[in-house]
mmCIF file of all heavy atoms in Angstrom:
data_model
loop_
_atom_site.group_PDB
_atom_site.id
_atom_site.type_symbol
_atom_site.label_atom_id
_atom_site.label_comp_id
_atom_site.label_asym_id
_atom_site.label_seq_id
_atom_site.Cartn_x
_atom_site.Cartn_y
_atom_site.Cartn_z
ATOM 1 N N PHE A 249 96.103 60.796 42.752
ATOM 2 C CA PHE A 249 97.456 60.355 42.198
ATOM 3 C C PHE A 249 98.530 61.224 42.767
ATOM 4 O O PHE A 249 99.517 60.720 43.330
ATOM 5 C CB PHE A 249 97.420 60.435 40.719
ATOM 6 C CG PHE A 249 98.716 60.000 40.055
ATOM 7 C CD1 PHE A 249 99.054 58.706 39.991
ATOM 8 C CD2 PHE A 249 99.529 60.950 39.503
ATOM 9 C CE1 PHE A 249 100.254 58.265 39.451
ATOM 10 C CE2 PHE A 249 100.781 60.537 38.926
ATOM 11 C CZ PHE A 249 101.122 59.235 38.870
ATOM 12 N N TYR A 250 98.431 62.515 42.624
ATOM 13 C CA TYR A 250 99.547 63.380 42.997
ATOM 14 C C TYR A 250 99.739 63.552 44.500
ATOM 15 O O TYR A 250 100.862 63.770 44.973
ATOM 16 C CB TYR A 250 99.440 64.760 42.309
ATOM 17 C CG TYR A 250 99.746 64.662 40.853
ATOM 18 C CD1 TYR A 250 98.784 64.789 39.830
ATOM 19 C CD2 TYR A 250 101.094 64.499 40.424
ATOM 20 C CE1 TYR A 250 99.126 64.705 38.474
ATOM 21 C CE2 TYR A 250 101.427 64.397 39.072
ATOM 22 C CZ TYR A 250 100.436 64.528 38.104
ATOM 23 O OH TYR A 250 100.734 64.410 36.802
ATOM 24 N N VAL A 251 98.632 63.439 45.222
ATOM 25 C CA VAL A 251 98.774 63.482 46.698
ATOM 26 C C VAL A 251 99.589 62.301 47.221
ATOM 27 O O VAL A 251 100.452 62.414 48.063
ATOM 28 C CB VAL A 251 97.436 63.633 47.398
ATOM 29 C CG1 VAL A 251 97.553 63.329 48.894
ATOM 30 C CG2 VAL A 251 96.812 64.982 47.190
ATOM 31 N N THR A 252 99.248 61.126 46.647
ATOM 32 C CA THR A 252 100.027 59.912 47.068
ATOM 33 C C THR A 252 101.479 59.984 46.568
ATOM 34 O O THR A 252 102.386 59.536 47.297
ATOM 35 C CB THR A 252 99.397 58.673 46.483
ATOM 36 O OG1 THR A 252 99.224 58.715 45.076
ATOM 37 C CG2 THR A 252 98.026 58.424 47.103
ATOM 38 N N VAL A 253 101.771 60.589 45.418
ATOM 39 C CA VAL A 253 103.074 60.780 44.870
ATOM 40 C C VAL A 253 103.852 61.649 45.820
ATOM 41 O O VAL A 253 105.000 61.397 46.172
ATOM 42 C CB VAL A 253 103.101 61.319 43.424
ATOM 43 C CG1 VAL A 253 104.484 61.809 43.033
ATOM 44 C CG2 VAL A 253 102.644 60.276 42.451
ATOM 45 N N ILE A 254 103.246 62.795 46.157
ATOM 46 C CA ILE A 254 103.965 63.807 46.989
ATOM 47 C C ILE A 254 104.201 63.203 48.342
ATOM 48 O O ILE A 254 105.235 63.342 48.984
ATOM 49 C CB ILE A 254 103.031 65.066 47.122
ATOM 50 C CG1 ILE A 254 103.067 65.815 45.721
ATOM 51 C CG2 ILE A 254 103.594 66.019 48.165
ATOM 52 C CD1 ILE A 254 101.985 66.937 45.643
ATOM 53 N N GLY A 255 103.184 62.539 48.939
ATOM 54 C CA GLY A 255 103.346 61.862 50.260
ATOM 55 C C GLY A 255 104.434 60.910 50.323
ATOM 56 O O GLY A 255 105.257 60.915 51.262
ATOM 57 N N LEU A 256 104.562 60.039 49.215
ATOM 58 C CA LEU A 256 105.585 58.997 49.211
ATOM 59 C C LEU A 256 106.967 59.677 49.052
ATOM 60 O O LEU A 256 107.947 59.347 49.668
ATOM 61 C CB LEU A 256 105.368 58.082 48.031
ATOM 62 C CG LEU A 256 106.382 56.964 47.847
ATOM 63 C CD1 LEU A 256 106.341 56.056 49.105
ATOM 64 C CD2 LEU A 256 106.018 56.096 46.601
ATOM 65 N N SER A 257 107.019 60.750 48.206
ATOM 66 C CA SER A 257 108.296 61.467 48.032
ATOM 67 C C SER A 257 108.743 62.112 49.284
ATOM 68 O O SER A 257 109.926 62.139 49.656
ATOM 69 C CB SER A 257 108.173 62.541 46.917
ATOM 70 O OG SER A 257 107.770 61.945 45.727
ATOM 71 N N LEU A 258 107.824 62.777 50.019
ATOM 72 C CA LEU A 258 108.184 63.457 51.277
ATOM 73 C C LEU A 258 108.682 62.445 52.336
ATOM 74 O O LEU A 258 109.697 62.743 53.050
ATOM 75 C CB LEU A 258 106.952 64.215 51.836
ATOM 76 C CG LEU A 258 106.563 65.496 51.053
ATOM 77 C CD1 LEU A 258 105.284 66.063 51.601
ATOM 78 C CD2 LEU A 258 107.685 66.547 51.069
ATOM 79 N N ILE A 259 108.037 61.271 52.406
ATOM 80 C CA ILE A 259 108.480 60.266 53.327
ATOM 81 C C ILE A 259 109.844 59.810 53.029
ATOM 82 O O ILE A 259 110.720 59.636 53.946
ATOM 83 C CB ILE A 259 107.460 59.096 53.318
ATOM 84 C CG1 ILE A 259 106.154 59.390 54.018
ATOM 85 C CG2 ILE A 259 108.060 57.866 53.976
ATOM 86 C CD1 ILE A 259 106.293 59.548 55.477
ATOM 87 N N HIS A 260 110.185 59.581 51.725
ATOM 88 C CA HIS A 260 111.500 59.167 51.358
ATOM 89 C C HIS A 260 112.564 60.139 51.548
ATOM 90 O O HIS A 260 113.671 59.837 51.953
ATOM 91 C CB HIS A 260 111.519 58.691 49.862
ATOM 92 C CG HIS A 260 110.951 57.274 49.672
ATOM 93 N ND1 HIS A 260 111.447 56.164 50.366
ATOM 94 C CD2 HIS A 260 109.959 56.812 48.852
ATOM 95 C CE1 HIS A 260 110.842 55.107 49.956
ATOM 96 N NE2 HIS A 260 109.892 55.458 49.067
ATOM 97 N N ARG A 261 112.209 61.427 51.317
ATOM 98 C CA ARG A 261 113.243 62.497 51.392
ATOM 99 C C ARG A 261 113.508 62.956 52.807
ATOM 100 O O ARG A 261 114.621 63.234 53.203
ATOM 101 C CB ARG A 261 112.788 63.725 50.516
ATOM 102 C CG ARG A 261 112.674 63.383 49.071
ATOM 103 C CD ARG A 261 114.036 63.112 48.421
ATOM 104 N NE ARG A 261 113.862 62.707 46.995
ATOM 105 C CZ ARG A 261 114.834 62.221 46.273
ATOM 106 N NH1 ARG A 261 116.025 62.017 46.797
ATOM 107 N NH2 ARG A 261 114.641 61.877 45.046
ATOM 108 N N PHE A 262 112.378 63.114 53.624
ATOM 109 C CA PHE A 262 112.536 63.759 54.923
ATOM 110 C C PHE A 262 112.142 62.833 56.048
ATOM 111 O O PHE A 262 112.214 63.204 57.249
ATOM 112 C CB PHE A 262 111.599 65.024 55.002
ATOM 113 C CG PHE A 262 111.956 65.964 53.809
ATOM 114 C CD1 PHE A 262 111.047 66.168 52.813
ATOM 115 C CD2 PHE A 262 113.065 66.665 53.790
ATOM 116 C CE1 PHE A 262 111.273 67.023 51.769
ATOM 117 C CE2 PHE A 262 113.383 67.596 52.766
ATOM 118 C CZ PHE A 262 112.443 67.762 51.732
ATOM 119 N N GLY A 263 111.792 61.591 55.809
ATOM 120 C CA GLY A 263 111.324 60.711 56.827
ATOM 121 C C GLY A 263 112.344 59.654 57.273
ATOM 122 O O GLY A 263 112.005 58.489 57.499
ATOM 123 N N LYS A 264 113.616 60.142 57.386
ATOM 124 C CA LYS A 264 114.694 59.169 57.796
ATOM 125 C C LYS A 264 114.408 58.556 59.169
ATOM 126 O O LYS A 264 114.810 57.430 59.436
ATOM 127 C CB LYS A 264 116.068 59.868 57.770
ATOM 128 C CG LYS A 264 116.374 60.546 56.443
ATOM 129 C CD LYS A 264 116.489 59.591 55.321
ATOM 130 C CE LYS A 264 116.884 60.200 53.979
ATOM 131 N NZ LYS A 264 116.965 59.267 52.866
ATOM 132 N N GLN A 265 113.804 59.356 60.040
ATOM 133 C CA GLN A 265 113.556 58.837 61.396
ATOM 134 C C GLN A 265 112.192 58.124 61.508
ATOM 135 O O GLN A 265 111.856 57.585 62.582
ATOM 136 C CB GLN A 265 113.597 60.046 62.393
ATOM 137 C CG GLN A 265 114.899 60.827 62.365
ATOM 138 C CD GLN A 265 116.126 59.985 62.583
ATOM 139 O OE1 GLN A 265 116.113 59.111 63.447
ATOM 140 N NE2 GLN A 265 117.213 60.247 61.821
ATOM 141 N N VAL A 266 111.460 58.175 60.407
ATOM 142 C CA VAL A 266 110.151 57.546 60.467
ATOM 143 C C VAL A 266 110.296 56.002 60.374
ATOM 144 O O VAL A 266 111.161 55.507 59.677
ATOM 145 C CB VAL A 266 109.278 58.040 59.258
ATOM 146 C CG1 VAL A 266 107.970 57.300 59.165
ATOM 147 C CG2 VAL A 266 109.039 59.469 59.363
ATOM 148 N N PRO A 267 109.550 55.248 61.153
ATOM 149 C CA PRO A 267 109.646 53.773 61.128
ATOM 150 C C PRO A 267 109.470 53.259 59.723
ATOM 151 O O PRO A 267 108.733 53.776 58.948
ATOM 152 C CB PRO A 267 108.464 53.339 62.085
ATOM 153 C CG PRO A 267 108.206 54.462 62.955
ATOM 154 C CD PRO A 267 108.529 55.705 62.184
ATOM 155 N N HIS A 268 110.192 52.183 59.464
ATOM 156 C CA HIS A 268 110.197 51.573 58.150
ATOM 157 C C HIS A 268 108.804 51.117 57.688
ATOM 158 O O HIS A 268 108.467 51.128 56.505
ATOM 159 C CB HIS A 268 111.178 50.375 58.084
ATOM 160 C CG HIS A 268 111.258 49.706 56.734
ATOM 161 N ND1 HIS A 268 111.700 50.350 55.628
ATOM 162 C CD2 HIS A 268 110.988 48.452 56.297
ATOM 163 C CE1 HIS A 268 111.639 49.600 54.563
ATOM 164 N NE2 HIS A 268 111.213 48.419 54.960
#
Side-chain angles (χ1 to χ4, degrees):
F249 180 75
Y250 284 108
V251 166
T252 54
V253 168
I254 292 169
L256 184 61
S257 300
L258 290 176
I259 285 289
H260 277 305
R261 297 294 176 188
F262 306 108
K264 303 299 182 183
Q265 306 302 320
V266 175
H268 182 59

